[in-house]
Each structure stands twice: as structure tokens, then as C-alpha cells.
Amino acid sequence: MTQLSLDTVKAQAKALRQALRAAGTVIGHAQALELIAKQHGARDWNTLHARLTRQNAPPDLALGDRVDGFYLGQACTGEIVALSGPAGHRQVEIRLDQPIDTVRFESFSNWRHRIRGTMDMDGRSYRRTSDGTPHLTVNKAPP
């Protein structure tokens, strides 16, 4: 049995809307999410969303953990040197193994040895670039 994810249930809601529309019944996206939540045994969409977020959250990070990920589109690895806040809104600071250049212009550079971000439950920063990509994504590195 595959593990249920937010992407899966959102896709189910979209498919439900399309099927109902084809049959002549139009419902909104929020109503489709509520129906899918009930189908999976949740009281409502918010309950299912919270359950899936907790269930699919990455392992809790700790000081000294080795991590990898991306910062402003650049692959990086390093060690967590500062950590605060609750899960879902955790501030993290990472000392990088190798500095990364966060500027994509040839005329100048901005080399970073440490990076910081506030992470959601999925290990992605809330801050985004203009194209919607998280500034920082963090994964616990394999031992």
C-alpha cells in the first residue's frame, strides 16, 4: 500500500471535480477537498491536511546533523549549527562544507559560508524566489 500524500489527495480532488463536471455537476475545489477528506476518514480537509503533514514530515533535525539540499538553486551540504522554533516554523542555520555563490551574474559574486532559513514541515523555506522555488530546501544527509 502506498503512503498517502498531500499531492495524492489534491490530485484526487482535481480528478473528482473533472469527473463530476463531465457528468454535469460543478463543484468548487474546496468542496472537492472536503469530499476527499471524508473519503479518507477525516472530519474535514483541515484535519486530513494536518494528519498528512505530520505523517510525511521529514525526520526532526538536531544540532550537529549533516544535511544536504539547495540554497537559491545551488546544491549544498553542511552541518546544522543553530536551530530554534517549533516544527513547521523552525529556524535553521547551516555551516556549509564548501562556500556557494548565490549570484548568477558573471560580473560579481556573493560567496556564502553559512545560510539561514525558516523551514516548514517538509524542510522547505517559506521564502521563495520570483518563480516560486523555495530559497532553501534541507534534507537530513544519509549517515
Side-chain angles (χ1 to χ4, degrees), residues 65 67-68 76-82 92-97 113-117 119 136-138:
D65 279 352
V67 294
D68 59 27
C76 60
T77 60
E79 177 184 347
I80 295 178
V81 294
V92 64
E93 182 175 341
I94 301 166
R95 181 178 52 230
L96 299 173
D97 295 335
H113 297 267
R114 289 183 182 233
I115 53 177
R116 292 186 191 109
M119 314 303 295
L136 175 64
T137 59
V138 174

Side-chain angles (χ1 to χ4, degrees), residues 72-142:
L72 296 176
Q74 305 292 326
C76 60
T77 60
E79 177 184 347
I80 295 178
V81 294
L83 198 60
S84 63
H89 202 77
R90 177 152 291 175
Q91 293 85 33
V92 64
E93 182 175 341
I94 301 166
R95 181 178 52 230
L96 299 173
D97 295 335
Q98 298 291 320
I100 57 173
D101 188 1
T102 60
V103 177
R104 296 185 186 194
F105 299 109
E106 291 182 27
S107 59
F108 65 98
S109 296
N110 181 17
W111 291 93
R112 303 289 299 268
H113 297 267
R114 289 183 182 233
I115 53 177
R116 292 186 191 109
T118 302
M119 314 303 295
D120 65 14
M121 293 294 286
D122 296 323
R124 293 179 285 201
S125 65
Y126 289 100
R127 296 191 69 191
R128 310 264 175 190
T129 60
S130 60
D131 68 357
T133 304
H135 282 194
L136 175 64
T137 59
V138 174
N139 301 300
K140 206 168 192 179

Side-chain angles (χ1 to χ4, degrees), residues 13-34:
K14 182 177 180 179
L16 175 62
R17 284 182 66 205
Q18 291 171 344
L20 288 173
R21 184 180 313 123
T25 303
V26 177
I27 65 170
H29 185 65
Q31 188 177 4
L33 289 171
E34 293 293 330

Side-chain angles (χ1 to χ4, degrees), residues 2-45:
T2 62
Q3 185 172 353
L4 198 58
S5 71
L6 285 174
D7 288 339
T8 301
V9 295
K10 287 178 181 180
Q12 290 173 350
K14 182 177 180 179
L16 175 62
R17 284 182 66 205
Q18 291 171 344
L20 288 173
R21 184 180 313 123
T25 303
V26 177
I27 65 170
H29 185 65
Q31 188 177 4
L33 289 171
E34 293 293 330
L35 291 170
I36 293 298
K38 289 184 186 325
Q39 183 181 14
H40 288 288
R43 181 182 70 222
D44 56 28
W45 168 247

